[in-house]
Amino acid sequence: MSQTVCILGATGSIGQSTLKVLAEHPEKYTVYAVTANSRIDELVAICKQFKPKIAVVPTELVDHLAQLLKQHQLQQIEILADEAGLIAAASHPEVDVVMAAIVGAAGLLPTLAAVKAGKRVLLANKEALVMSGDIMLQAARQHQALLLPVDSEHNAIFQCLPQNYLQLERENYQPKQGVSQILLTASGGPFLNFSIEQLQTVTPAQACKHPNWSMGQKISVDSATLMNKGLELIEACHLFSISEHFVTVVIHPQSIIHSMVQYVDGSTLAQMGNPDMCTPIAHALAWPNRISAPVPTLDVFSHQHLNFEQPDLQRFPALTLARQAMRSGGTAPAILNAANEIAVAAFLAQKIPFTAIPEVVDFSLNHIAITSADDLDTILDADTSARRAAQQYIATQRGGLA
Ligand code: NDP
Ligand code: MG
């Protein structure tokens, strides 16, 4: 039987890669709902090709979308609006699988809605898990949702862990089943070998030009600061119920190994492949089975050198900030994430230099009381306060106009 899919963030980089995989398997999957925030023409093109039942956009784009759909004789597609529309699509009774690929905190409530509706949730939106950690995992257990990692590193770790690892009870964040350590790989981004002086003058265009991956702007900047790896460290701790002591970040500039798991008997398992998100997307869609993905098989003979280095925490302090936030727990990861979102947006708008991004995050973490994060409201309040603090820092300390 064909499975129905809702793609939250269909117009983005992950959304488009998901559609590429689904297009290879029309007999297995039907696109039921798609969502966009601004790229309306891309959304219409998706509607033309996949004929979903539901499309979700912000209220101000509803009329425009309705007109365009009518022009293409697609008026039967139901248009929903705003966060309520995203939540309705993600938890729709007809939907089996939800791809969570909205960028940033905006994806939290729709992703959580999919989890609470017991869906198979393919998690790309790492910020949602960083913010809500325990709440999201508890909801997944309670509502029997299957939360599968799409982030390439976490998907690789998942592939290298014992089969039933995710289903096991949590054991105080200790590794289990003979696992001793997770090696989380990082390409190091476009500025891996830049000096601190050089980092001070890099531009948004340079930061968005990743050497190995083609991605949305926000995650590209996060990769350049290594905050992406920091967010992924937190993501790994939650997904695999493991304390941050057991997660080591390894710079691997070729992005051929997507992460590794080490075992107590001396084994190190790695997952390798060409850097293309279609592979982890196909894996998460079909798990525990396998389906084809539009990615060439890795030609090992063309990769004679695979290098591994320690990250430089002096030049890339974001990694330390994220590790500290995970150690602090409670609302600290949500504060880290929110301040980072504001700082990245300010950098992309050329209001602050690249090196100010971790400064903004550090300031916010130090100026907001970190509390336990037992409910969603506390997390959303921390998110709001952190955004305010970050904006205040940018306006006052950095002379920017946040
Ligand atoms: P993009 O910026 O390419 O796409 C983001 C998507 O989210 C778009 O569909 C966008 O709509 C939508 N969106 C943006 N803001 C909002 C909002 N406020 N409300 C509703 N929808 C919104 O990002 P990516 O695809 O690169 O990344 C998506 C997520 O996946 C991120 O969390 C990222 O960290 C994660 N990820 C991405 C990887 C990659 O290779 N790209 C790898 C691993 C994880 P529109 O385009 O119409 O404005
Ligand atoms: Mg990743």
Side-chain angles (χ1 to χ4, degrees):
M1 252 244 313
S2 171
Q3 296 236 295
T4 51
V5 184
C6 163
I7 306 175
L8 300 172
T11 45
S13 167
I14 293 286
Q16 296 284 356
S17 294
T18 306
L19 290 163
K20 258 168 73 182
V21 177
L22 296 178
E24 280 209 357
H25 302 282
E27 72 299 344
K28 287 196 168 73
Y29 301 101
T30 311
V31 178
Y32 193 88
V34 288
T35 85
N37 192 50
S38 64
R39 288 179 265 191
I40 202 91
D41 293 336
E42 282 83 346
L43 184 68
V44 172
I46 293 168
C47 289
K48 274 167 71 180
Q49 187 181 350
F50 292 92
K51 311 220 162 31
K53 295 269 187 283
I54 296 173
V56 188
V57 288
T59 297
E60 59 273 20
L61 294 177
V62 166
D63 289 347
H64 187 201
L65 179 63
Q67 262 174 13
L68 293 172
L69 290 180
K70 197 160 175 223
Q71 275 169 26
H72 293 97
Q73 275 92 49
L74 292 168
Q75 58 273 33
Q76 72 281 8
I77 297 176
E78 185 183 358
I79 302 175
L80 302 179
D82 300 334
E83 195 165 66
L86 296 171
I87 290 171
S91 56
H92 197 288
E94 295 287 320
V95 165
D96 301 312
V97 182
V98 175
M99 165 54 81
I102 290 175
V103 59
L108 173 59
L109 295 182
T111 305
L112 206 50
V115 168
K116 287 185 176 164
K119 308 295 186 195
R120 172 187 282 249
V121 180
L122 316 187
L123 186 75
N125 178 205
K126 66 194 83 183
E127 297 92 343
L129 187 65
V130 165
M131 292 174 74
S132 69
D134 291 338
I135 291 180
M136 176 130 15
L137 285 161
Q138 225 172 327
R141 271 195 297 278
Q142 192 182 341
H143 299 279
Q144 278 144 40
L146 190 54
L147 194 60
L148 293 168
V150 166
D151 209 346
S152 58
E153 295 78 3
H154 305 74
N155 183 270
I157 294 162
F158 180 47
Q159 293 196 46
C160 296
L161 284 170
Q163 262 280 338
N164 60 345
Y165 200 87
L166 287 193
Q167 276 81 52
L168 296 174
E169 281 301 305
R170 309 183 128 213
E171 286 167 20
N172 300 324
Y173 286 85
Q174 296 296 308
K176 37 194 187 267
Q177 292 217 322
V179 171
S180 60
Q181 198 178 194
I182 286 177
L183 301 181
L184 184 68
T185 57
S187 69
F191 309 136
L192 177 59
N193 297 313
F194 279 40
S195 65
I196 291 189
E197 293 69 41
Q198 284 175 304
L199 288 176
Q200 273 156 9
T201 56
V202 296
T203 63
Q206 283 174 292
C208 290
K209 208 167 173 304
H210 194 276
N212 306 333
W213 299 92
S214 154
M215 310 183 286
Q217 282 195 327
K218 193 258 175 184
I219 184 176
S220 296
V221 176
D222 285 348
S223 297
T225 56
L226 287 199
M227 183 57 91
N228 183 49
K229 215 45 57 182
L231 297 173
E232 290 186 358
L233 171 81
I234 299 172
E235 185 185 10
C237 295
H238 287 303
L239 276 174
F240 308 119
S241 305
I242 199 167
S243 139
E244 51 84 26
H245 312 293
F246 300 104
V247 185
T248 301
V249 173
V250 180
I251 302 290
H252 165 52
Q254 293 85 6
S255 299
I256 293 299
I257 289 178
H258 300 304
S259 279
M260 297 174 257
V261 175
Q262 297 191 309
Y263 287 83
V264 289
D265 62 3
S267 299
T268 299
L269 302 194
Q271 187 263 353
M272 300 167 69
N274 284 310
D276 188 320
M277 289 308 294
C278 288
T279 297
I281 291 168
H283 177 266
L285 267 171
W287 185 85
N289 300 315
R290 295 268 178 180
I291 54 170
S292 68
V295 182
T297 306
L298 182 67
D299 172 12
V300 289
F301 298 110
S302 65
H303 297 281
Q304 297 186 347
H305 301 285
L306 297 181
N307 300 87
F308 306 100
E309 304 167 21
Q310 297 275 0
D312 182 336
L313 302 176
Q314 226 77 62
R315 285 181 300 130
F316 300 103
L319 202 49
T320 305
L321 292 172
R323 203 177 270 283
Q324 281 166 352
M326 185 64 211
R327 252 180 233 156
S328 307
T331 52
I335 295 169
L336 171 99
N337 176 67
N340 181 57
E341 285 190 30
I342 294 295
V344 170
F347 168 68
L348 285 170
Q350 297 183 298
K351 289 174 182 162
I352 58 169
F354 182 78
T355 43
I357 297 174
E359 282 176 28
V360 173
V361 175
D362 194 19
F363 174 86
S364 303
L365 278 165
N366 283 312
H367 276 74
I368 298 167
I370 294 162
T371 65
S372 61
D374 304 327
D375 57 72
L376 210 51
D377 285 344
T378 308
I379 293 168
L380 295 174
D381 284 349
D383 175 276
T384 308
S385 308
R387 281 168 203 272
R388 209 177 299 127
Q391 261 151 353
Q392 179 202 337
Y393 180 82
I394 291 167
T396 55
Q397 305 293 313
R398 277 281 166 185
L401 297 165

